[in-house]
Amino acid sequence: MNRRYRKTIIAGNWKMHKTPSETRQLIDELKPLISKAKWCEVVLCVPYVDIPIALRALKDSPRIAVGAQNMHHEESGAYTGDVSAAMLKDLGVKYVIIGHSERRAYYHETDTLVSRKVHLALRAGLRPIVCVGETLEQRDQGVTLDLITVQVKAALSGVPVEKLRQIVFAYEPIWAIGTGRTATVEQAGEVGASIRATIRKMYGARAARSVTIQYGGSMTASNAHDLLAQLDVDGGLVGGASLKASSFAAIVQAANQ
Ligand code: PGA
């Protein structure tokens, strides 16, 4: 990470875990443990139904923001069961995960759809956390950097330079998500640097320096410190380890050192 130019952001991705009452409980446990975290922004990306209770529980903690895990790619309309960017914004949500590999895999979300969502999120005033990453097969074929360049370019297509800082990228190798198998610090650092190089080519060095690039995929208290020591790893998108106050707080602490 490089705090001089960009924010360190640790985001928890709760996925489909925690009921509203469990949300209250987890946040109450978490708050005192991370109250001293001055150097990084903390985000809790919770299920839609947990958003109101999370916002209420965090009213007195301005440094902990609430995020959603998805949003629809149209502004509004006949999309039964879906949630729009404007709805999230109106509630008080600040971040939204876009293009998580689980959504790409199970709901067939393409780079084109990701791009539409990025535009809508920005227009609504939400900060997109755009997930990119390769499968194990793609890594073995040696196409990781090429593939991620395509994903990054697609997500940024048509995004003006003044909006760039609003976007957070999360490098999440699919083979590392929920598997206990973390990328090596070299792998995380290499892909982070490559994402920044792509942004630099599109927007110039100054703009590229300001973008937060997270790593995600089995990040834990024990590997967070080394991963975050990489210049182009400016935070984490944390799944499993964000579901317990103690393990998530330990990662936030690692980001504060
Ligand atoms: P994990 O999930 O930390 O459980 O691997 C990360 C993610 O999917 O965002």
Side-chain angles (χ1 to χ4, degrees), residues 6-137:
R6 47 194 177 259
K7 264 219 172 101
T8 304
I9 303 174
I10 302 293
N13 174 11
W14 289 10
K15 309 192 180 183
M16 200 172 73
H17 295 286
K18 307 292 176 190
T19 61
S21 9
E22 289 166 344
T23 298
R24 175 95 228 187
Q25 209 178 327
L26 177 52
I27 292 178
D28 284 346
E29 272 174 57
L30 187 63
K31 276 200 301 193
L33 301 181
I34 59 175
S35 61
K36 291 200 183 76
K38 283 203 178 69
W39 301 108
C40 77
E41 180 145 349
V42 177
V43 187
L44 303 179
C45 298
V46 304
Y48 290 136
V49 294
D50 295 338
I51 291 173
I53 202 156
L55 285 163
R56 227 173 302 139
L58 291 167
K59 240 188 173 141
D60 54 352
S61 310
R63 257 191 242 108
I64 311 175
V66 174
Q69 301 171 10
N70 182 37
M71 51 170 262
H72 197 262
H73 61 274
E74 295 289 351
E75 231 158 50
S76 63
Y79 300 103
T80 303
D82 268 307
V83 168
S84 76
M87 291 170 189
L88 296 173
K89 177 67 182 174
D90 189 63
L91 265 182
V93 167
K94 216 169 146 189
Y95 289 83
V96 57
I97 299 175
I98 291 181
H100 189 281
S101 59
E102 284 150 18
R103 298 221 50 102
R104 291 184 193 249
Y106 308 144
Y107 301 93
H108 314 293
E109 294 197 4
T110 60
D111 282 344
T112 313
L113 200 86
V114 167
S115 161
R116 288 176 64 168
K117 291 188 181 192
V118 167
H119 282 275
L120 275 178
L122 290 172
R123 205 180 309 151
L126 297 169
R127 295 194 66 181
I129 300 177
V130 179
C131 299
V132 296
E134 82 287 4
T135 61
L136 192 55
E137 203 182 0

Side-chain angles (χ1 to χ4, degrees), residues 3 30 36 62 80 82 109 118 173 177 179 184 211 214 220 238-239 248:
R3 291 203 192 103
L30 187 63
K36 291 200 183 76
T80 303
D82 268 307
E109 294 197 4
V118 167
I177 295 176
T179 58
T184 64
V211 178
Q214 301 174 317
T220 61
V238 186
F248 189 61

